[in-house]
Amino acid sequence: MGYNDQDKNKKYRSPLLLFSFYSTTQQTSHLSPSSAETLVFTSVTTRSQSLFTVNSNNRIEKGKMVEVLLESGGQEVAIPKDVSREGTPTEYAPTDMQSSTEIVQKLTSIQEFYYGQSVFVTGGTGFLGKLLIEKLLRGCPGINCIYVLVRSKKGKNVIQRTEELIDDPLFSKVKEKQPKFSHRIVAIEGDCSMPNLGISMIDRATLIREVSIIYHVAATVRFNEKLKTAITINVRSLKDLISLSKEMPKLKSFVHVSTAFANCLESPIEEKFYDPPIDSDKLINLMDCLDEKMLDDITPQLLGKWPNTYVYTKSVAENVVKKMVDTMPIGIFRPAIVISTYREPIRGWVDNMYGPVGITTGAGLGLIRSHHCDGSMKIHVVPGDMTINALIATAWDIANNPRPSQDPIYNYVSKDNPITYDELKNMSAKYGLLTPTMESIGYYSFRNNKHRLVHLFYVYFVHLLPALIIDTVALCIGKQPKLLKIYSKIHKFMDILSHFSTIEWNFTNDKLRALHNKLSIEDRDLFFCDMKELVWDNFFQTYLLGIRIYVLKDPIETIPQARIRWQRLYWIHQGLKLFILCIFLIITWVILSKIFVALGYA
C-alpha cells in the first residue's frame, strides 16, 4: 500500500507499522532525492522483508528491500540494510525488563505455550479482536508478534485504522506496563471479502514462515446480510485461511470463532459437528456461478427454516472445519451473545450496539419502550473479557490435543450461571438510572412483551405515533424530521432479534468445563472464564456506565448535568402520561354518554 498525498507528512504515533507497498508511482517525501541505496523494510520480531528500492526520483520500486522505522516521537526513519538495527526503537527484546530465563521460570502453562510464538488474527479491529489482541499482549508477556489482518474502510487506510486500534482506551492498561507494546503488532493489509484474503505474496510468505497460532475471528455479524457477502466473508475466507495455514510448518493451533447459535435448529445444541444445510464447496460454487441479484432471489429457498444468512453461513463454515479436523490442529469456539467486559482490562468496555447492548442503549435513551421477548426465558450472554480468556485457553487445548477423539468444539455459554431477560432488564434499570446520559431524548420506560400483539400496540402507539407528531412539528418549524427514520431502523433490528428472544435455547458445555478443569490455579486466575463465579449484580454495576462512556461517548463528568436533565424528562414523562390519561377518560366519557343517550338513560 503506497502513501497518498495527505499521508506524506503525517507523523504517526505508532512506533512501527508494517505494510506492503504496491504502487510504483507514489512519492515518499520523507526520503531525500539522494536516497538511492537499498533499504530493508521489515517487522520488529520477524524481520519479514518487502522487496522495494528508492530511486533518485523519490519513487518506490519493487525488486529491493526497504525498512521504515518510526521513532518514539513519530518521525519516520529509513535504515539502510547495512546499518545495524540494534538499539533502535523497534527492536523488541524481553531483556529490556528481565531476562528470558527469568520470564520462562515464572510462566504459567498457557503463558508458556504462547511464549516466543507469532499469532495471526483476523477480525482484529472488531470487538472480540481488540479484546483478544489486548489480552495476548498483557497476559502473555513472552509472545513474539501479533499479525493483524486490516483492510481500508470508510476512507481510512490500513495505517490509520491500525493507529486507531492501538489508541483505543482498551489498551491503556497494557500501555502503562509495556510502553512499546505496539512494536509487537504488525498490520497485514488484506480483506476477508477478497480471494485469498487479499494478502500480498510477500505478506503471505511472511505469515507462512512465522505464524504458529491462528485466530479466525473475522465475520459479518449482520443478520440480514446479503447472502453473497455472508458466504464470501463467513465461509470462503475461512477456507482460504485454512489453505494458507496448511503451508505453515510451525502451526500449533487454529481456532475458528463461530457462534453458539450456528446450529439453532437443533435442541439441545451439543459440542459436536452437525450436518450443514448445504456442503461448503457447493455453496461457494453456487455463489461463483450466480450473480448477486439471482442469488438474492433464491435466498429464501436456500435458507428454508434458517432464520437469517448469518447463522446459515456460520453453520456451513463449521463444515469447512470438519473436513480438516483429521489433518491439522484445528477447532471451533462457539461463544453465546458477547456483551461488555466484566473485570478486565476496563470494566464495562464495549464498542458496539449488537444484540442486548443495542436494546439496552435504545431503552436508556428513551427510544425503545417495548421488546418482543419472553422475559422469563434465559438469555445466553457472556462477558467479553471472560469470552476471550476462554478463547485463549481453547487454542492451548487444541494444541495439546492435535488428534482429538471427540469433536474439537467448545460451547461458551451461560448455562452454569443463567440469567433471564427480565433479570437483565431489571438489573440494567437498577444501575442505569443512577448514571443517565446527556444523549437521552426521553425518560426510561421499557418492558418485555411476550405477546406480539401487545408489542405491536406499543410499537404503533408509543413509538410511531409520538414520532409522527414530533416529526410533523419539526417540519412545521423548518427542521429535518428524524424520528420516523430512526424507528424504522430500530424496528427492523428488533424484528430480527425477536426470533432469538422468544425461544429458549439449550446447550451442553462439557468440553468447556473439562478444559477449565485442566487449567492450573494460576491460569484460572489469569485467564478467568468460569461462568459459575460470575456475579451478575457486580457485572451490571458498570454495564450501562460502559455503554454511556464507550458507545455513546458521553464522559463521566457530565453525569451531574445528565441527572438534572433526567429529572426534567421524568416530569415531562409523567405529565405526558397524565395528559394521555385525561384524553382517554374524555373519550371514554363521550362514548359512554352517547351510549346512555341512545339507550334512553339520559
Side-chain angles (χ1 to χ4, degrees):
M1 173 179 173
Y3 294 120
N4 56 34
D5 292 338
Q6 62 185 356
D7 290 331
K8 288 193 289 188
N9 299 317
K10 181 175 176 60
K11 292 183 179 291
Y12 299 114
R13 288 167 288 181
S14 169
L16 175 72
L17 296 174
L18 171 65
F19 303 96
S20 294
F21 289 77
Y22 298 106
S23 172
T24 61
T25 59
Q26 291 177 313
Q27 297 187 6
T28 53
S29 62
H30 60 279
L31 294 177
S32 65
S34 61
S35 299
E37 70 271 24
T38 302
L39 305 174
V40 179
F41 185 65
T42 180
S43 72
V44 180
T45 58
T46 65
R47 310 296 191 267
S48 57
Q49 299 171 339
S50 299
L51 304 178
F52 298 97
T53 169
V54 181
N55 64 23
S56 58
N57 294 321
N58 270 351
R59 296 184 184 277
I60 293 180
E61 296 179 347
K62 297 180 181 178
K64 303 283 181 159
M65 295 178 289
V66 178
E67 176 172 27
V68 178
L69 301 182
L70 302 180
E71 290 182 336
S72 56
Q75 180 63 43
E76 296 179 354
V77 183
I79 307 295
K81 78 171 185 178
D82 57 347
V83 176
S84 171
R85 297 181 66 243
E86 184 176 358
T88 66
T90 62
E91 183 74 18
Y92 171 68
T95 52
D96 291 343
M97 296 177 287
Q98 52 187 319
S99 70
S100 298
T101 304
E102 291 175 335
I103 292 177
V104 172
Q105 289 175 348
K106 296 179 180 179
L107 296 181
T108 66
S109 296
I110 291 182
Q111 288 177 325
E112 188 174 348
F113 166 68
Y114 284 95
Y115 186 82
Q117 305 302 311
S118 292
V119 180
F120 182 39
V121 178
T122 67
T125 56
F127 175 55
L128 285 180
K130 290 177 185 177
L131 286 169
L132 174 61
I133 294 169
E134 193 279 337
K135 186 54 188 278
L136 287 174
L137 291 169
R138 182 168 50 85
C140 303
I143 203 165
N144 189 29
C145 176
I146 301 177
Y147 294 95
V148 185
L149 189 71
V150 184
R151 65 186 173 100
S152 299
K153 183 180 180 182
K154 295 181 179 178
K156 296 180 181 178
N157 60 34
V158 176
I159 295 177
Q160 293 168 323
R161 294 198 68 210
T162 306
E163 286 185 337
E164 286 184 352
L165 169 69
I166 294 170
D167 290 339
D168 194 287
L170 181 72
F171 291 86
S172 57
K173 181 176 280 190
V174 71
K175 191 177 295 184
E176 291 176 5
K177 296 183 178 180
Q178 304 173 37
K180 298 181 180 181
F181 77 94
S182 56
H183 290 187
R184 292 187 286 170
I185 299 177
V186 177
I188 298 293
E189 182 172 14
D191 190 336
C192 284
S193 65
M194 298 174 64
N196 298 315
L197 306 175
I199 301 175
S200 70
M201 292 303 295
I202 295 173
D203 288 339
R204 185 180 178 92
T206 299
L207 296 174
I208 291 172
R209 183 177 65 250
E210 303 295 339
V211 170
S212 55
I213 301 168
I214 296 176
Y215 288 100
H216 185 46
V217 187
T220 172
V221 297
R222 292 177 57 186
F223 285 1
N224 59 346
E225 185 68 83
K226 285 183 175 293
L227 186 58
K228 189 178 185 69
T229 303
I231 295 171
T232 301
I233 299 176
N234 293 348
V235 183
R236 190 181 69 183
S237 69
L238 171 60
K239 187 177 180 181
D240 290 344
L241 184 54
I242 288 176
S243 297
L244 174 62
S245 70
K246 290 169 73 174
E247 300 181 48
M248 298 176 177
K250 299 179 181 179
L251 186 66
K252 292 185 175 182
S253 183
F254 185 125
V255 187
H256 168 58
V257 179
S258 183
T259 169
F261 302 94
N263 301 282
C264 60
L265 301 186
E266 306 292 334
S267 184
I269 300 173
E270 302 179 44
E271 294 169 302
K272 69 177 185 179
F273 288 110
Y274 289 94
D275 292 333
I278 186 174
D279 180 77
S280 55
D281 293 328
K282 290 181 180 179
L283 185 61
I284 293 173
N285 290 336
L286 183 66
M287 176 193 69
D288 292 336
C289 293
L290 301 178
D291 59 39
E292 187 168 353
K293 183 180 183 306
M294 190 173 294
L295 198 58
D296 289 342
D297 291 339
I298 66 170
T299 293
Q301 288 73 33
L302 285 173
L303 293 184
K305 295 181 179 179
W306 294 84
N308 54 64
T309 56
Y310 172 64
V311 293
Y312 178 83
T313 51
K314 277 296 189 178
S315 176
V316 175
E318 292 193 357
N319 179 241
V320 177
V321 176
K322 181 180 180 181
K323 295 178 180 180
M324 297 293 135
V325 166
D326 295 330
T327 61
M328 60 186 295
I330 189 171
I332 296 175
F333 181 74
R334 293 178 183 159
I337 304 169
V338 186
I339 52 178
S340 311
T341 55
Y342 177 45
R343 300 197 311 190
E344 55 174 330
I346 304 172
R347 292 188 65 188
W349 183 84
V350 66
D351 70 348
N352 63 79
M353 289 198 291
Y354 299 137
V357 175
I359 297 292
T360 303
T361 304
L365 291 174
L367 281 170
I368 300 179
R369 309 289 187 180
S370 170
H371 180 211
H372 181 213
C373 81
D374 187 343
S376 64
M377 288 185 175
K378 299 181 182 67
I379 176 173
H380 285 272
V381 289
V382 287
D385 53 333
M386 296 177 67
T387 301
I388 291 304
N389 288 335
L391 176 59
I392 291 173
T394 295
W396 168 78
D397 195 49
I398 290 172
N400 290 335
N401 299 279
R403 298 293 181 269
S405 57
Q406 297 179 315
D407 294 341
I409 298 176
Y410 305 78
N411 287 345
Y412 191 64
V413 294
S414 55
K415 174 185 177 181
D416 299 323
N417 190 0
I419 182 175
T420 65
Y421 281 94
D422 277 344
E423 288 173 332
L424 186 151
K425 176 183 74 73
N426 294 336
M427 282 191 278
S428 295
K430 175 182 176 182
Y431 295 105
L433 293 178
L434 300 177
T435 56
T437 173
M438 291 293 293
E439 303 298 321
S440 297
I441 64 172
Y443 190 74
Y444 175 86
S445 178
F446 174 79
R447 62 179 293 168
N448 293 318
N449 285 305
K450 178 180 179 179
H451 302 289
R452 182 164 178 78
L453 285 178
V454 177
H455 170 68
L456 289 177
F457 174 84
Y458 274 80
V459 166
Y460 287 109
F461 290 98
V462 185
H463 287 179
L464 296 180
L465 182 58
L468 178 61
I469 295 172
I470 293 173
D471 278 0
T472 302
V473 172
L475 276 174
C476 293
I477 61 177
K479 291 187 177 181
Q480 185 71 24
K482 297 179 180 179
L483 268 183
L484 283 175
K485 289 183 179 179
I486 292 174
Y487 273 117
S488 176
K489 294 180 180 179
I490 289 175
H491 293 152
K492 286 181 181 178
F493 168 69
M494 294 175 66
D495 287 343
I496 292 172
L497 291 182
S498 65
H499 175 82
F500 297 93
S501 57
T502 54
I503 299 174
E504 185 157 346
W505 308 91
N506 297 309
F507 301 91
T508 64
N509 61 346
D510 297 335
K511 291 193 186 74
L512 202 289
R513 286 179 182 173
L515 164 59
H516 185 265
N517 291 334
K518 295 177 187 177
L519 301 181
S520 64
I521 295 176
E522 294 78 12
D523 277 329
R524 290 183 188 183
D525 181 59
L526 183 61
F527 301 97
F528 175 68
C529 59
D530 188 358
M531 286 297 298
K532 289 184 288 187
E533 296 185 20
L534 167 66
V535 180
W536 283 114
D537 191 73
N538 291 343
F539 172 85
F540 281 99
Q541 289 177 15
T542 55
Y543 176 56
L544 264 294
L545 185 61
I547 292 174
R548 183 189 200 276
I549 296 173
Y550 303 111
V551 175
L552 300 176
K553 308 299 182 183
D554 191 359
I556 199 170
E557 290 78 14
T558 65
I559 287 181
Q561 300 98 299
R563 285 175 175 164
I564 295 173
R565 175 183 173 84
W566 198 243
Q567 284 296 318
R568 292 173 184 165
L569 291 174
Y570 169 79
W571 289 114
I572 292 173
H573 178 72
Q574 298 303 328
L576 182 61
K577 288 200 301 185
L578 182 61
F579 174 75
I580 293 174
L581 178 61
C582 291
I583 295 295
F584 175 77
L585 291 176
I586 291 172
I587 293 173
T588 303
W589 174 256
V590 171
I591 294 173
L592 290 176
S593 298
K594 290 184 177 181
I595 291 174
F596 290 150
V597 169
L599 294 176
Y601 291 106

